[in-house]
């Protein structure tokens, strides 16, 4: 018969929750962290009470909306925090289910085993990764682990009815009602909760003679499903990708997620996985030591067939589905299997500890008692040591507390000098990021953000917008665009121009240096984009002048040299974010090009020298030309200190005594090369400086 938890178990349960919550909060993503998964969508959908992708996830959306009202961090962080919270709750429920799986659920051995199983789940990398971002899987794990706990609890009532049959009967009826409601909540969240049904039918079949099923249980099951009325009620708001159609047919198609059937009956991603993949997946979660105890836990359950039936049927149902569900991120669908593995691991620890205690108590020899106790301590210490090792090895990969890259990218896009009413066109994830900062942080709400995942549809959309005279910006390169329009970089975005730009844009530093007979570097700027990275990014904004059509597809290598001449940052790309190859440049047009240089090491006091190289990838990356720009004092804005023989302008450039402050003519070193006959050098240090000409063998950049 089920009895109240003793104080010891309550303390351990609270301790596990706090430990898991502390771990997940310490490694929690601070904001938006992904462009191309569901996390970003959920962070915006929950805040706006929109409709998520199929099946709609109404339970998650409504709970997420409550978390977005917490007075802590920004909106995205609050939804991430919800995942951490339900992850910690799931860990606690796995511990409670582990107690139900033990033969003597209130013994200290059962508490130790169940706690070690829950701890193993806590630090398993797949589960941990889902507890640090806004995703549906920790809430799903919470519901699955609660279902397993109820099923094992009912099974224990059947196996040991106790002295009060009426009380047991009432507790069973209440547990069945709770189980029905739990399945309803599960279906209002993630439909794979139905994979627990074989285990539930196994338990209910064993109590069929008690006639405990009531019509009211259908009410408990059906009431949570009313949460799906959220979809038609918010149908006027719609989904982010406009896929939800607020009709009866559209509602049914969305709720049943009929489009996802292709991942079962077809293989659109051509996914092929062997047995070694699945074995390695479990070993990465629990380690080989944990796998041994999982195997022991399964074998030791053969004496309790009902408990083995519950866990094995649930495990087989989820594993069987996952073997046929051919999606790219199949690991997260194995989380219910990891929950069950943690239960088996805990049982694999509990049973040997029970045996060792029995041997110690039965022996009259003190040495045997001490030996049994020592063996138990070694088992626990060994598993704790492995858990600590897994924690240390996985920390770096799991820690997302300083992951600001996507956040900074979104702020960067909307911090650019975009024209009022400009249009940003990209794929769904990028456009969702733009909308997040528009709607949550009120950045540039006048800018329109339009999504088109198919390149052909995106090209047609851009054509229509350009024909309307709109200021259009792309988030990425687009096949067919260079042939139709002129392109230029604006921060991380790509400006689409209906006609070539015949007038040079404003630059802080004018160079006007001819690198080849077709290409000249007109000038450049140095910008520090908004970023949380340390050291910060250095953005070089180059302005090229196409003096004639370019016959070769040249690439640019933008580099930054340290004060002692070492390479500390490099970015190689086709001009304009890989979007505008040199062969597409029109004669006499000016092209704005941007390169973000991320330093390999912390900044030091001194002058950093930018180096720009043109090279031909079709000729073995042979260097075509290079230009060395004036040194930069990157610490000027932070510390105000520069090298003793340099002063600094407002952009952090080092200015020598021969260069008046505010001058738009800068000293430079220009190198011209010929790919076939060697390299012709021409170095100039400014207006009126003698030119030294020489020849050396061509080298790769």
């Amino acid at each position: 018969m089920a009895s109240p938890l003793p104080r010891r178990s309550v303390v351990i349960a609270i301790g596990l929750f706090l430990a898991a919550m502390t771990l997940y909060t310490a490694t929690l993503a601070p904001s938006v962290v992904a462009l191309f998964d569901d996390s970003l969508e959920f962070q915006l959908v929950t805040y706006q009470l929109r409709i998520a992708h199929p099946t709609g996830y109404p339970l998650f959306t409504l709970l997420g909306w409550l978390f977005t009202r917490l007075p802590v961090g920004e909106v995205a962080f609050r939804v991430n925090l919800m995942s951490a919270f339900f992850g910690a709750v799931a860990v606690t429920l796995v511990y409670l289910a582990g107690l139900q799986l033990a033969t003597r659920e209130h013994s200290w051995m059962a508490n130790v085993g169940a706690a070690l199983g829950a701890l193993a789940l806590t630090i398993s990398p797949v589960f941990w990764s889902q507890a640090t971002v806004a995703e549906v899987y920790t809430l799903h794990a919470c519901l699955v682990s609660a279902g397993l706990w109820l099923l094992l609890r009912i099974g224990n009532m059947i196996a040991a009815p106790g002295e009060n049959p009426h009380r047991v009967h009432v507790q069973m009826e209440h547990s069945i009602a709770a189980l029905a409601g739990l399945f309803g909540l599960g279906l209002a969240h993630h439909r794979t909760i139905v994979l627990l049904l074989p285990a539930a039918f196994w338990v209910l079949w064993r109590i069929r003679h008690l006639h405990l099923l009531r019509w009211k249980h259908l009410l408990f099951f059906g009431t949570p499903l009313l949460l799906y009325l959220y979809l038609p009620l918010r149908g006027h708001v719609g989904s982010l990708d406009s896929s939800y159609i607020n009709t009866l047919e559209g509602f049914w198609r969305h709720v049943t997620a009929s489009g996802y059937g292709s991942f079962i009956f077809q293989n659109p991603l051509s996914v092929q996985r062997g047995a070694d993949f699945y074995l390695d997946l479990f070993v990465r979660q629990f380690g080989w030591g944990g796998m041994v105890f999982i195997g022991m836990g399964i074998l030791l359950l053969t004496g309790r067939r009902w408990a083995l039936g519950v866990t094995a049927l649930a495990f087989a149902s989820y594993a069987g589905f996952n073997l046929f569900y051919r999606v790219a991120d199949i690991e997260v669908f194995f989380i219910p299997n990891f929950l069950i593995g943690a239960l088996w691991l805990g049982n694999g620890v509990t049973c040997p500890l029970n045996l060792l205690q029995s041997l110690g108590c039965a022996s009259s020899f003190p040495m045997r008692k001490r030996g049994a106790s020592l063996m138990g301590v070694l088992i626990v210490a060994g598993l704790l040591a492995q858990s600590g090792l897994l924690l240390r090895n996985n920390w770096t990969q799991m820690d997302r507390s300083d992951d600001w890259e996507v956040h900074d990218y979104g702020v960067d896009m909307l911090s650019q000098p975009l024209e009022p009413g400009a249009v940003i066109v990209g794929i769904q994830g990028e456009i969702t990021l733009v909308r997040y900062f528009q709607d949550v942080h009120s950045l540039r709400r006048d800018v329109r953000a339009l999504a088109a995942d198919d390149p052909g549809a995106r090209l047609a959309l851009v054509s229509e917008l350009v024909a309307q005279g709109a200021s259009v910006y792309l988030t990425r390169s687009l096949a067919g665009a260079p042939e139709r329009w002129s392109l230029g970089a604006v921060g991380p975005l790509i400006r689409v121009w209906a006609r070539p730009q015949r007038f040079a844009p404003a630059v802080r530093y004018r160079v006007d240096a001819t690198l080849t007979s077709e290409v000249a570097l007109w000038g450049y700027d140095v910008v520090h984009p908004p970023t949380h990275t340390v050291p910060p990014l250095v953005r070089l904004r180059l302005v090229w002048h196409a003096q004639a059509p370019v016959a070769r597809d040249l690439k640019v290598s933008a580099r930054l040299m340290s004060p002692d001449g070492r390479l500390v940052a490099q970015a190689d790309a086709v001009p304009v974010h890989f979007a505008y190859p040199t062969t597409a440049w029109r004669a006499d047009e000016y092209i704005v090009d941007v390169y973000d240089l991320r330093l390999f090491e912390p900044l030091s006091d001194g002058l950093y020298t930018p180096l720009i190289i043109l090279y031909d990838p079709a000729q073995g990356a042979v260097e075509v030309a290079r230009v060395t720009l004036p040194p930069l004092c990157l610490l000027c804005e932070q510390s105000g200190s520069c090298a003793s023989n340099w002063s600094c302008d407002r952009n952090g450039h080092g200015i020598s005594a021969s260069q008046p402050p505010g001058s738009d003519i800068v000293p430079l070193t220009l190198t011209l090369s010929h790919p076939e006959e060697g390299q012709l050098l021409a170095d100039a240090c400014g207006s009126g400086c003698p030119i030294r000409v020489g020849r050396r063998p061509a080298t790769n950049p």
Side-chain angles (χ1 to χ4, degrees):
M1 182 179 67
S3 56
L5 281 177
R7 179 173 298 179
R8 174 176 56 198
S9 299
V10 172
V11 170
I12 293 175
I14 295 174
L16 282 169
F17 172 82
L18 293 176
M21 192 67 186
T22 300
L23 174 65
Y24 298 151
T25 305
T27 55
L28 195 66
S31 181
V32 291
V33 292
L35 282 174
F36 305 118
D37 64 13
D38 301 332
S39 173
L40 175 58
E41 178 201 11
F42 286 127
Q43 288 164 331
L44 185 55
V45 162
T46 53
Y47 176 72
Q48 296 181 321
L49 284 180
R50 283 181 173 270
I51 297 174
H53 67 276
T55 56
Y57 301 97
L59 177 62
F60 183 91
T61 302
L62 293 170
L63 290 173
W65 181 83
L66 293 176
F67 270 82
T68 62
R69 268 53 196 171
L70 293 176
V72 55
E74 67 164 273
V75 166
F77 174 83
R78 299 167 196 170
V79 189
N80 296 340
L81 188 64
M82 182 174 75
S83 290
F85 173 78
F86 284 113
V89 172
V91 167
T92 307
L93 288 169
V94 166
Y95 162 72
L96 296 177
L99 291 180
Q100 294 292 334
L101 196 62
T103 53
R104 291 181 287 174
E105 61 180 283
H106 296 324
S107 67
W108 72 266
M109 292 80 67
N111 279 278
V112 170
L116 287 174
L119 179 63
L121 175 70
T122 304
I123 60 175
S124 59
V126 171
F127 187 77
W128 185 356
S129 69
Q130 299 305 297
T132 59
V133 296
E135 264 293 2
V136 299
Y137 298 105
T138 58
L139 177 56
H140 180 56
C142 190
L143 296 169
V144 171
S145 53
L148 289 169
W149 173 70
L150 283 171
L151 291 173
L152 292 170
R153 187 172 186 265
I154 296 171
N156 274 326
M157 293 179 193
I158 303 169
E163 300 178 356
N164 191 335
H166 175 71
R167 183 181 176 187
V168 173
H169 193 278
V170 171
Q171 288 182 340
M172 281 190 182
E173 188 171 340
H174 290 169
S175 296
I176 293 172
L179 188 65
L182 190 72
F183 270 100
L185 283 173
L187 281 176
H189 176 57
H190 203 284
R191 59 181 178 171
T192 56
I193 194 73
V194 299
L195 297 173
L196 264 186
L197 284 177
F201 289 150
W202 166 258
V203 171
L204 295 177
W205 176 258
R206 297 183 68 240
I207 60 173
R208 64 191 184 281
H209 60 285
L210 299 177
H211 307 292
L212 292 174
L213 297 182
R214 302 284 187 270
W215 285 108
K216 66 179 181 180
H217 295 148
L218 289 177
L219 181 64
F220 287 118
F221 170 75
T223 300
L225 296 180
L226 294 176
L227 288 171
Y228 276 108
L229 291 176
Y230 167 86
L231 273 67
L233 290 175
R234 297 294 292 176
H236 65 283
V237 179
S239 56
L240 289 174
D241 61 357
S242 302
S243 63
Y244 177 75
I245 301 173
N246 203 21
T247 63
L248 182 60
E249 181 184 357
F251 170 81
W252 182 252
R253 186 187 306 114
H254 204 83
V255 169
T256 57
S258 56
Y260 288 74
S262 61
F263 293 109
I264 298 177
F265 303 107
Q266 304 171 27
N267 191 4
L269 302 180
S270 301
V271 173
Q272 300 295 331
R273 300 185 179 99
D276 56 334
F277 168 84
Y278 300 105
L279 176 61
D280 178 69
L281 178 61
F282 275 83
V283 171
R284 284 190 286 115
Q285 311 312 307
F286 300 105
W288 282 109
M291 295 296 291
V292 170
F293 280 98
I294 287 175
M296 290 175 56
I298 296 172
L299 291 175
L300 293 170
L301 276 178
T302 54
R304 304 176 69 207
R305 292 185 178 180
W306 71 267
L308 179 61
V310 170
T311 54
L313 281 173
F315 186 92
S317 297
Y318 280 100
F321 172 80
N322 294 337
L323 289 175
F324 291 97
Y325 196 50
R326 303 179 185 92
V327 293
D329 58 340
I330 194 61
E331 294 86 352
V332 295
F333 289 88
F334 274 95
I335 286 178
N337 296 93
F338 301 150
L339 299 179
I340 300 166
L343 294 178
W344 285 338
L345 189 153
N347 188 63
V349 175
T350 299
C351 291
L353 292 181
N354 281 331
L355 178 61
L356 290 171
Q357 187 196 42
S358 299
L359 291 176
C361 293
S363 176
S364 58
F365 297 100
M367 289 297 293
R368 287 188 179 180
K369 290 184 177 182
R370 285 195 290 269
S373 299
L374 179 61
M375 185 63 69
V377 170
L378 289 176
I379 290 174
V380 175
L383 278 174
L384 287 175
Q386 180 186 255
S387 297
L389 186 63
L390 290 173
L391 178 66
R392 186 194 68 180
N393 293 342
N394 294 329
W395 182 277
T396 301
Q397 182 182 0
M398 296 297 109
D399 184 13
R400 310 198 74 170
S401 60
D402 198 35
D403 190 349
W404 290 96
E405 183 177 356
V406 174
H407 173 280
D408 292 344
Y409 173 53
V411 173
D412 195 10
M413 282 193 287
L414 292 175
S415 298
Q416 301 306 313
L418 310 180
E419 299 86 346
V423 184
I424 298 177
V425 178
I427 62 177
Q428 187 62 56
E430 297 158 341
I431 298 307
T432 301
L433 181 65
V434 172
R435 290 175 179 171
Y436 173 84
F437 282 100
Q438 288 180 315
D439 296 337
V440 176
H441 294 278
S442 299
L443 295 180
R444 294 303 305 268
R445 289 191 170 184
D446 62 297
V447 173
R448 286 192 291 162
L450 302 178
D453 287 347
D454 179 71
R458 196 156 63 251
L459 186 65
L461 176 60
V462 173
S463 298
E464 180 182 350
L465 292 169
V466 171
Q468 295 171 359
S471 300
V472 181
Y473 294 83
L474 295 170
T475 58
R476 56 180 50 224
S477 61
L478 177 60
E483 293 78 14
R484 298 190 182 196
W485 310 290
S486 291
L487 306 176
V490 180
L493 298 172
I494 301 166
R495 178 65 157 94
V496 179
W497 299 100
R499 290 176 294 276
Q501 298 302 289
R502 304 299 187 189
F503 297 96
V507 291
R508 172 63 179 168
Y509 293 100
R510 178 179 168 185
V511 176
D512 200 14
T514 300
L515 276 71
T516 72
S517 59
E518 307 100 342
V519 179
L521 181 62
W522 170 257
Y524 70 98
D525 291 315
V526 180
V527 183
H528 298 284
T531 177
H532 286 79
T533 59
V534 179
L537 287 176
V538 176
R539 174 170 291 167
L540 291 180
R541 177 178 175 266
L542 309 177
V543 178
W544 303 104
H545 183 203
Q547 298 175 329
V550 183
R552 293 177 291 174
D553 276 328
L554 302 179
K555 292 186 73 173
V556 178
S557 179
R559 303 180 182 185
L560 196 63
M561 314 304 291
S562 68
D564 58 0
R566 293 178 297 105
L567 178 67
V568 293
Q570 179 175 346
D572 287 43
V574 173
V576 192
H577 305 310
F578 291 94
Y580 201 29
T582 55
T583 51
W585 292 2
R586 281 74 171 175
D588 198 34
E589 79 165 323
Y590 290 87
I591 302 99
V592 178
D593 200 7
V594 166
Y595 295 89
D596 288 339
L597 300 177
R598 190 182 301 276
L599 274 69
F600 305 147
E601 59 186 36
L603 287 171
S604 63
D605 192 11
L607 301 178
Y608 289 80
T609 304
L611 173 63
I612 309 300
I613 298 175
L614 282 179
Y615 65 94
D616 188 353
Q619 298 293 328
V622 64
E623 183 176 317
V624 174
R626 67 168 58 194
V627 57
T628 302
L629 301 177
L632 304 169
C633 181
L634 298 180
L635 280 179
C636 285
E637 294 182 357
Q638 298 180 13
S639 63
S641 62
C642 297
S644 58
N645 60 332
W646 290 77
S647 62
C648 290
D649 69 7
R650 65 184 182 184
N651 279 353
H653 287 86
I655 304 175
S656 68
S658 61
Q659 180 191 359
S663 170
D664 64 351
I665 303 297
V666 297
L668 59 92
T669 301
L670 176 65
T671 302
L672 304 179
S673 67
H674 193 286
E676 297 178 358
E677 299 180 2
Q679 192 173 61
L680 180 65
L681 304 181
D683 298 338
C685 61
S687 177
C689 181
I691 298 177
R692 301 181 300 277
V693 178
R695 193 177 294 274
R696 69 182 181 191
T699 57
N700 293 341

